[in-house]
Amino acid sequence: MLAVSSFGDESAPAAPSSDVSLTINGERHALTVDNRTSLLDLLRERLGLTGTKKGCDQGACGACTVLVNDKRVNACLTLAVRCDSSAVTTIEGLADGDRLHPLQKAFVERDAFQCGYCTPGQIMSGVGCISEGHAGSREEIREWMSGNICRCGCYVNIVSAVRDAADGR
């Protein structure tokens, strides 16, 4: 016969956790996290960095794109413990005080957003795309940013903004 435990069972083992140290937007954070915690949930729920959006929570929309060691990742699919000793950049870390990052400025100038929900992920992906050397043409930008969905359909303006930033305009 199988024993059935109640939902409030105090004897259930604690979830495994790990100590992690991350540099997020230039600031060092030492935390203990449940091993199952996504980088997205750590950023939004533990650190209050809500610029990174939770869209599909399955890695399909790109709303949660951040840079980890200057590489684009979907924060919803990345375990926080895997980022130990890493440098994470979120949308909050791009601007230099009141001075916008060139791609943020290009998004404003090109009107590359409507509702704005996807904008942080689009911008972070665009920054990664440029730094990876994948912004040589409109076609290349479209290909390398294809994992970022914009429900409002601002793709033409998004590509133009990435192109402007890549060209230093």
Side-chain angles (χ1 to χ4, degrees), residues 3 22 31 75 79 83 103 113 167:
L22 306 100
L31 305 155
L79 292 174
C83 297
L103 187 52
F113 53 90
D167 289 344

Side-chain angles (χ1 to χ4, degrees), residues 6 17-18 33 49 56-57 68 72 89 110 114 126 128 131 136 149:
S6 65
S17 62
S18 297
V33 297
L49 297 170
C56 66
D57 212 20
V68 176
R72 295 181 280 175
T89 306
R110 286 292 188 160
Q114 283 183 26
S131 71
I149 297 172

Side-chain angles (χ1 to χ4, degrees), residues 2 6 19 28 49 77 82 88 117 119 128 130 132 148:
L2 294 173
S6 65
D19 293 329
R28 195 76 160 152
L49 297 170
L77 297 180
R82 300 278 302 183
V88 178
Y117 196 83
T119 304
I130 293 166
E132 294 162 10
N148 291 80

Side-chain angles (χ1 to χ4, degrees), residues 4 10 12 42 54 61 72-73 77 89 93 97 118 123 125-126 135-136 162:
V4 178
E10 301 286 328
L42 175 70
K54 185 178 277 197
C61 73
R72 295 181 280 175
V73 301
L77 297 180
T89 306
C118 74
I123 290 173
S125 187
V162 173

